[in-house]
Amino acid sequence: MLSYYSSLSAEVYDLDKPIGKSFGDVEFYRERLAGNEGRILEPATGTGRLLVPLLEDGLHIDGFDSSSEMLDICRAHCKERGLHPKLFEADMETFRIDVEYDAIILPAGTFQLLAGREQAIKALKNFRKHLAPGGRLLVDLYVPQGFEIDRPRTRTWQTKAGAVITLESKTVEVDWIKQCSVSHNRYEKWQGGKLVQTELERFPMRWYGVEEFKLLLGSQGFEDIIVSSNYEYGQYPKDAQHAITFEAIAHI
């Protein structure tokens, strides 16, 4: 299996989640970051769905991603709009940059791509290291809604060039004790009735309980933790289908 977010995966991500598409998070992050004059970092920035609108709002945001293909698309979107953010290829656990950020943001469950607990802890330590004293970490998480093992789901997109991309995805592993799942994805690109490209992807995902993640943040030097749900600030989760956002302050 190839690593996730290679060329076809990145192309589908951009088609499915174009610049500015919001799940309620674009407006929420605009509000939470309004008036921030310092620098902000978005790990796993992808193709710029959230990064670009916030840049256009005048915020100073850097971004990185482990996928060079995602970053290439993000750079193209920024260039089209005359934006020039600092973008670089890196992983959440190991990135190094000589900057102290006022805020680090991880919308749309991207933190959950770190399927191992040790990976997650290492990433939180790294975020803390790169935050200025009193800087904020904002993380969106989701809880699983049920799994249908080995039952494939298929979606289709059409590109501007007239090609058709299909994605067949199925969950192949669920570990309820370790709170993680693995899906296998198969991408196929068709042009003029001919298969011109295919890509296989192993896609892990980890989930957390609300109080569990608060304890995890606290153990890594974060305090004053505010939990929000459905992008309503300070509203404690009541519906498991809603996004859950944690906002925490780096301990001085």
Side-chain angles (χ1 to χ4, degrees):
M1 289 288 178
L2 299 178
S3 61
Y4 43 76
Y5 296 134
S6 297
S7 59
L8 276 183
S9 178
E11 188 173 359
V12 163
Y13 187 96
D14 194 45
L15 290 168
D16 191 55
K17 301 175 181 67
I19 299 299
K21 180 173 180 177
S22 180
F23 308 104
D25 54 350
V26 174
E27 297 80 4
F28 181 84
Y29 279 86
R30 274 179 171 148
E31 180 181 345
R32 298 306 305 148
L33 298 170
N36 191 304
E37 297 182 356
R39 291 174 72 175
I40 301 164
L41 178 66
E42 185 187 9
T45 195
T47 59
R49 177 188 67 87
L50 181 67
L51 178 90
V52 169
L54 296 183
L55 285 168
E56 291 178 328
D57 287 345
L59 295 171
H60 305 289
I61 307 184
D62 301 336
F64 71 79
D65 204 285
S66 61
S67 166
S68 60
E69 291 88 348
M70 297 280 268
L71 287 174
D72 286 343
I73 296 173
C74 186
R75 290 188 181 101
H77 285 312
C78 290
K79 185 177 180 181
E80 289 170 4
R81 294 162 173 79
L83 302 170
H84 306 284
K86 180 178 181 60
L87 298 172
F88 56 99
E89 186 175 345
D91 295 318
M92 288 187 254
E93 313 98 286
T94 59
F95 77 93
R96 293 288 184 271
I97 184 169
D98 190 21
V99 176
E100 284 192 334
Y101 289 98
D102 282 4
I104 294 177
I105 61 173
L106 293 98
T110 52
F111 186 78
Q112 294 175 257
L113 295 174
L114 300 173
R117 181 176 175 81
E118 291 307 313
Q119 283 181 286
I121 291 173
K122 191 174 181 180
L124 289 175
K125 288 181 184 293
N126 207 16
F127 297 155
R128 175 65 190 84
K129 183 184 299 183
H130 286 83
L131 280 167
R136 291 182 291 164
L137 175 67
L138 291 91
V139 182
D140 287 354
L141 299 181
Y142 297 94
V143 295
Q145 299 303 305
F147 298 100
E148 296 180 292
I149 303 296
D150 288 330
R151 182 173 179 177
R153 304 170 300 281
T154 303
R155 298 183 65 192
T156 302
W157 295 264
Q158 185 164 356
T159 71
K160 292 180 180 179
V164 173
I165 302 176
T166 63
L167 165 60
E168 182 182 276
S169 177
K170 62 181 178 181
T171 303
V172 296
E173 299 175 28
V174 177
D175 190 326
W176 292 100
I177 301 300
K178 295 182 178 179
Q179 297 172 216
C180 59
S181 66
V182 176
S183 296
H184 286 176
N185 298 332
R186 181 184 182 90
Y187 297 86
E188 293 183 346
K189 189 172 190 176
W190 297 80
Q191 186 84 51
K194 295 182 179 181
L195 180 63
V196 295
Q197 188 178 355
T198 187
E199 199 170 274
L200 299 176
E201 176 181 74
R202 182 181 185 275
F203 198 88
M205 185 69 69
R206 181 178 178 85
W207 66 88
Y208 299 85
V210 175
E211 296 302 319
E212 174 194 11
F213 198 70
K214 285 177 65 178
L215 288 170
L216 186 59
L217 288 171
S219 73
Q220 300 308 314
F222 292 95
E223 57 185 19
D224 299 330
I225 302 166
I226 302 295
V227 181
S228 304
S229 67
N230 201 31
Y231 299 112
E232 295 289 337
Y233 182 71
Q235 178 177 290
Y236 194 86
K238 296 180 180 179
D239 188 333
Q241 296 185 40
H242 290 161
I244 303 169
T245 306
F246 298 81
E247 182 171 334
I249 304 299
H251 180 66
I252 298 174

